[in-house]
Amino acid sequence: MVTTAPHPIGGAVARVHAALDDVAGTPAWSMSQGATADVLVEIARAEARLVELRSRALVQAELVAVQERNASPSVAVWHSNATRSTNWVCPY
């Protein structure tokens, strides 16, 4: 049986999900003032990095015509359907 390793970007996204799963039920009430301030800054940094990664992936989606997977007329429509968001929310 032949298995292919995930692309490094896919692997990184999977690890982000796993890390978030690890803290999904963790209450924030025990965080100190300093820890809360620090984590809010780090969350903002992580969000910005994820937005940049999504932008690169959307460019690649155009290049490989990902919309053809379900006969969508465009990547924007495909993305909206795949993520269950509306077109106005779709960043592309």
Side-chain angles (χ1 to χ4, degrees), residues 9-50:
I9 291 175
V13 172
R15 289 189 301 277
V16 168
H17 279 290
L20 292 172
D21 288 345
D22 288 345
V23 298
T26 304
W29 63 262
S30 61
M31 291 173 59
S32 69
Q33 183 185 58
T36 302
D38 291 345
V39 80
L40 285 170
V41 170
E42 290 305 312
I43 289 169
R45 289 183 64 226
E47 285 176 330
R49 293 178 76 187
L50 284 170

Side-chain angles (χ1 to χ4, degrees), residues 44-58 91:
R45 289 183 64 226
E47 285 176 330
R49 293 178 76 187
L50 284 170
V51 167
E52 186 277 331
L53 185 58
R54 178 179 60 197
S55 296
R56 284 193 285 139
L58 283 168

Side-chain angles (χ1 to χ4, degrees), residues 60-75:
Q60 181 63 12
E62 278 287 334
L63 293 173
V64 299
V66 76
Q67 73 274 10
E68 293 175 357
R69 293 178 58 105
N70 65 356
S72 291
S74 67
V75 170

